[in-house]
Amino acid sequence: MTNLLNDTPGTADTHAVAAPTKPVAVRARGLVKSYGTGPAAVQALDGADLDIHTGTFTAIMGPSGSGKSTLMHALAGLDVLDAGQVLIGDTDLTDLGERQRTLLRRDRFGFVFQSFNLLPALTAQENITLPLDLAGRRPDPEWMARLVDTLGLGQRLQHRPSELSGGQQQRVAVARALVTRPEIVFADEPTGNLDTRHGQALLRFLRDACDDLGQTIVMVTHDPLAAAHADRVVLLTDGRVIEEIADPTASAIADRMLQLDTEADDRPHTAASSTDTLQEG
Amino acid sequence: MLRLVLKQTMAHRGRLLLTFAAITLGVTFVVGTLVLTDTSRKVFDDQFRDASTEVDIVIRDAVAFDAAMGVEVERDPLDPQLAARTATLPGIDQAIPVVKGTGLLISDDKAIVPAGPSMLSSWTGVDGFTLREGHAPGGADQVVIDAATATAHDITLGDTVRVQADREADLRVVGLVGFGESDGLPDTTVALTSLRTAQRLLRLGDGISQIDVIAADGTATSSVAEDLRADLGADVDVAASQDTAAASAAAAKSQLGFITGALLALAGAALVIGAFLIANTFSVLVTQRTRELAVMRAAGATGRQVMTSILGEATVLGIAGAIAGTGTGLLAATGLRSLLDAAGATVPDGPTVLSARTLIVALAVGIGVTLIAAFGAARRAARISPVMAMREGALGTTGGRGRLRSGVGVAFTAAGVAALSVGGATESMPALGAGTAALVAGMVALAPMVAPAVVNLIGRGMIALTGRSVPAGLAREAARRAPRRTGATVMALALSLALVVFVSVVGASVRAALQSGFDEAITAELVVESARGEMLGGLEPTTLKKVEDLDEVGTVSPLRFGHWKDSGATRALTAFDPTTIDDVTDVDMVEGNLTDLRDGVVITERQAAERGLNVGDTLAMTFARTGTLKVPVVGLIDDDDARALSTDYLVSLASYRDWFTERVDATLLVRPSSGTSVHDAQVALEDALEGMPTVEVRDQASAAEARTASLDGILTMITAVLMLTVLIAMLGITNTLALSIIERTRELGLLRAVGMTRRQLRTMIRTESLLIAVAGLLVGTTIGVATSALFVRAIAQGGDLHLRVPTTGLALVAAVGLVVGVVGGLAPARRAARLEVLTAIRE
Ligand SMILES: Nc1ncnc2c1ncn2[C@@H]1O[C@H](COP(=O)(O)OP(=O)(O)O)[C@@H](O)[C@H]1O
Ligand SMILES: [Mg+2]
């Protein structure tokens, strides 16, 4: 189970390549999103900027409530923004209508959520091919076989989600996210409900997908151990990207997070005040 | 506890909306029926009571029974001397001779044909009619009519109206009367003339219909009645007027009894269908609230308390539905009245009566149905264990009970099928009734297993037809996933459609039999009949005379109908003219023949077999005029041919005149004279009968049609009412889908996130609705056709009745089923498509 996507050797090199040299898959500029009105309004995104490079694995981190999920939803065309631009190639996501965004998600993105990733009525196989079925396309049998094999789901394809363990369910979700060979896979706390062993295994799949297939991955997490699998960590506070850590290690992330939390405790809870103090590496 | 229950109910009011609607509809129907019939009953009670308030005693010819099939029997006229003699007896203030009968009003050459009787009576001044304008009728050319008719037809004092009874006359309107508070009698025209004039018009000579007696002040009615009985002997009937009023009201009301029964049966069907919807809602609510209920349990609530709280919600809902249903029921009474009117069953209208009984029934029905329907869910709620509060998505499974349920279902279904086949083979109605009940119970129990399987099959068919599509596949899965819910939803629609199919098949079969029997047995080319309902009399004797006098007519043979009592049960007989019957009919006799009939009775082969009678035996028949007679059986007739003559018992017209007071003909069977074409004869008849607006001349085909007209009216009405149950079943689909959408919010969000378009989502929900509807359609049509086929066989009893499965009827049912499927899914589909992807994911 450790030798994943094993027909592409030499994975270590890819890992070392610096992200910025690659073309940009998603360019986000000045994202603003607020919930509610008046004094009760919450500024979930407050001018966030971000580039996601093709073939990289990006982790979005930040304190709880800092806007991680909102940012990911905005990038993935799941949410509508108040202001800002999300460019996927030449297309500005914010210009697209509901139907076009849906088709974009179906054909060009893959999703892994923290929980409830699978439709209980469908078998594992049907869950995996769902986006293709929705598009009326047939799965590429070779690709399908490879995914199933790599994720160790061969014996489980005819099972329903209720007959699968949590780890297996998340692997099915990953298979579904990859089955369309999407441009980007978005994952929101994909290991949040898994124990460490299963969580780590899942993260290694994602890592390998990135390394071996050049899969672009954006993952929201608050777990430094998880984020350490990424090429780059983007830190979010009060709806803004305040800093990036390239080639992160778990301990470096954990230190930085701790620091952020302390600062957050020390300053008044306004979204604007934080940014200037935080431009260190 | 009560506050908690109220709060819970209010908190779920959105989810309970359609359930509330279903209860309301059911209660509406019940209340509507009760209000309608109570109102009509009150009208009759008031009418007959008002008519009798001034009169103490009524003297009439004695009869063996007062009324049959809701119609009072006619009595022989009394000797006019009797009135004079009565007046001289002690304790009597007045003895007023009265003549009563039927007289059609014709104004400006237009007949006024009310839905009820055309009353012609002599003026007494004491029978409840009070002058509003003008004066009492004095001279031979004067008449007083009711103010309501006058207003409705622009008749004023001084106008001339024609009154057509056995004779007719043009009379001047000299007065208008009201009746009590109202301007007339409901659905009735009233013509009051002098005693002489009424006697002349009704061709009574100096005979009188009855004597209204007013006792002298200070004498007890009962003792006066005693004395009168002793004095006048057993040939006359001396009765307290309030008793005769009660009897008349009872006779009039007995027709309402049939209508009440039929409508309440239909209301019951609506309630049963509604119960499925209610049961589904509570089942879903309990499932959706498993965690919340588990928390309640963890906090120390007993299972009993949880159950009580659910049943409490059901009670609140039942009360709300009962109150709303009572309100709408008052409106529905009017609608039902128009529906009955259209079906040819007119019930009189009056001030609306909402009795305490109706309110109690409404509450009992509303609460009762809701409680019973919610009981299963409440019991399941009581079994929720506190640990379920901690478990994700742990919803109670019911393996053990499921097996028990399917066992019971299989047993009932098997018993039902067995009873139906036995019933079909032995033509036993009770076995068929029990079989149907058992089959329905069994199907309901099996529904969670059968319905999803049917849905699955249909889904496959649909996918095979339209190509593989995720929405269709998912819809199929969704319908299968909650088998109980799907089962109940499917069964509700299936049962309502089965009823429609049943009515349609049985109706078509009976209709075909009636018509074909007529075609085969009646050889007369033309038929003269009354256009009015059978209950409202037939053709006055003058009609026959006019027809006989025509040169274009070769043979005319009258038929008369009458009722007799067969140890309590009321039966119909037909009287015919033996000398002409062979010219106008072609009937198969098993023994004897009709032309020889003088004094006896000819009965059908089947009656003979059932009663163990043979030619030469006697049959005890009780007639109102004569009492019980031992009538010799002189012939046996083929069952189907007898049906063409509307009867199982045939007597000669001579016997009829001896045994009945009634003088009207039901039908005249006519053959043109030789050399006259049917068309010419028909034209001649129409010309001759021009002045008799309620008389119709029909050729054979339209006469055959006319025989089924009242059946058609009733079938149409029943079907219209059954559509209400279909509507409730459709609400059931909407309800089930709406609730399941709430339950599946996250699933739908996920689907949308991974790329299902809104259109696909809508298609999915609509497909689900359609699948359920088509499953209901298939199951319902199957049950409907199967049970009706067996019923038809049983009613036929080896006779001429053949199963007719009406293609138009079934096509209509199929169309209705599909419409239900399409419409039922619209709202939930729209609602599902409006779901925000993110809200759904985040939930
Ligand atoms: N639907 C919503 N309505 C109101 N506030 C919301 C909604 N979604 C998110 N928020 C608020 O926006 C902020 C950012 O939320 P989110 O992006 O989920 O944060 P994170 O994923 O970093 O924990 C939080 O303060 C949260 O409470
Ligand atoms: Mg989050």
Side-chain angles (χ1 to χ4, degrees), chain B residues 367-695:
Chain B
I367 298 173
V369 168
T370 318
L371 275 184
I372 292 170
F375 189 75
R379 217 173 40 171
R380 196 153 56 84
R383 279 202 300 264
I384 289 174
S385 72
V387 291
M388 284 183 184
M390 274 58 100
R391 247 185 272 149
E392 166 112 22
L395 306 177
T397 51
T398 47
R401 281 218 318 135
R403 229 171 294 129
L404 176 69
R405 185 182 176 134
S406 50
V408 170
V410 167
F412 266 95
T413 308
V417 170
L420 278 174
S421 5
V422 169
T426 60
E427 296 160 0
S428 140
M429 290 296 268
L432 285 175
T436 307
L439 179 68
V440 168
M443 292 299 288
V444 168
L446 282 181
M449 285 132 265
V450 174
V454 176
V455 165
N456 191 26
L457 264 175
I458 298 165
R460 268 192 208 189
M462 221 139 120
I463 288 167
L465 234 79
T466 61
R468 199 177 124 79
S469 107
V470 192
L474 284 175
R476 188 180 109 197
E477 288 298 335
R480 269 166 37 144
R481 194 149 31 119
R484 265 171 198 240
R485 211 184 293 169
T486 306
T489 315
V490 166
M491 278 316 287
L493 181 63
L495 290 183
S496 62
L497 290 178
L499 284 172
V500 179
V501 169
F502 185 90
V503 168
S504 156
V505 171
V506 172
S509 304
V510 170
R511 197 173 187 281
L514 281 176
Q515 293 197 0
S516 77
F518 188 84
D519 287 347
E520 282 162 24
I522 307 293
T523 54
E525 285 88 348
L526 293 167
V527 174
V528 179
E529 290 173 312
S530 168
R532 307 184 71 182
E534 210 176 283
M535 302 287 192
L536 295 168
L539 310 168
E540 294 294 337
T542 43
T543 319
L544 176 60
K545 287 199 198 82
K546 287 190 183 178
V547 173
E548 276 172 340
D549 288 348
L550 288 175
D551 289 338
E552 289 85 350
V553 169
T555 310
V556 52
S557 185
L559 297 179
R560 288 185 179 181
F561 297 145
H563 288 122
W564 58 282
K565 297 268 180 178
D566 177 14
S567 35
T570 302
R571 312 242 179 253
L573 61 69
T574 298
F576 64 94
D577 173 10
T579 58
T580 52
I581 192 75
D582 255 5
D583 290 343
V584 292
T585 59
D586 176 17
V587 297
D588 292 335
M589 296 295 290
V590 179
E591 260 192 272
N593 63 67
L594 294 183
T595 44
D596 289 347
L597 184 63
R598 290 293 168 269
D599 298 327
V601 59
V602 169
I603 66 178
T604 54
E605 211 181 348
R606 185 173 76 213
Q607 285 301 331
E610 269 177 25
R611 295 168 183 268
L613 288 178
N614 253 314
V615 170
D617 294 339
T618 59
L619 175 65
M621 302 174 85
T622 305
F623 301 102
R625 184 166 191 241
T626 63
T628 305
L629 301 178
K630 293 234 172 252
V631 182
V633 175
V634 296
L636 302 183
I637 184 173
D638 175 75
D639 294 339
D640 299 322
D641 289 348
R643 195 180 303 115
L645 297 168
S646 313
T647 191
D648 277 343
Y649 309 89
L650 288 157
V651 301
S652 71
L653 271 181
S655 301
Y656 187 93
R657 282 188 202 102
D658 290 342
W659 298 338
F660 290 87
T661 307
E662 283 79 357
R663 286 290 167 265
V664 293
D665 295 316
T667 304
L668 304 180
L669 300 171
V670 178
R671 303 208 71 167
S673 54
S674 61
T676 310
S677 74
V678 175
H679 178 260
D680 290 347
Q682 181 162 6
V683 171
L685 281 171
E686 277 162 0
D687 287 347
L689 300 172
E690 172 99 69
M692 313 183 94
T694 61
V695 177

Side-chain angles (χ1 to χ4, degrees), chain A residues 65 67-70 73 114 188-189 220:
Chain A
K68 304 184 292 290
S69 296
T70 308
H73 294 151
Q114 175 172 359
D188 192 353
E189 312 262 14
V220 168

Side-chain angles (χ1 to χ4, degrees), chain B residues 159-174:
Chain B
D159 287 356
T160 297
V161 292
R162 176 168 298 172
V163 179
Q164 189 177 73
D166 207 356
R167 291 195 179 98
E168 60 180 40
D170 289 331
L171 304 177
R172 193 158 47 83
V173 177
V174 297

Side-chain angles (χ1 to χ4, degrees), chain A residues 98 105 116-117 133-134, chain B residues 468 746 750 752-753 760 838:
Chain A
E98 161 64 34
R105 289 199 299 271
F116 207 87
N117 263 301
D133 291 339
L134 285 171
Chain B
R468 199 177 124 79
R746 291 186 62 174
L750 178 69
R752 295 276 289 114
Q760 282 177 316
L838 276 182

Side-chain angles (χ1 to χ4, degrees), chain A residues 117-128:
Chain A
N117 263 301
L118 308 179
L119 291 183
L122 302 186
T123 61
Q125 167 147 8
E126 289 165 338
N127 265 294
I128 293 172

Side-chain angles (χ1 to χ4, degrees), chain A residues 33-36 42-45 61-73 79 188-189 220 236, chain B residues 838-839 842:
Chain A
K33 172 83 187 178
S34 56
Y35 291 105
V42 178
Q43 200 75 12
L45 290 179
M61 295 200 72
S64 176
S66 58
K68 304 184 292 290
S69 296
T70 308
L71 175 61
M72 192 202 91
H73 294 151
D79 207 351
D188 192 353
E189 312 262 14
V220 168
L236 211 63
Chain B
L838 276 182
T839 345
R842 282 209 196 96

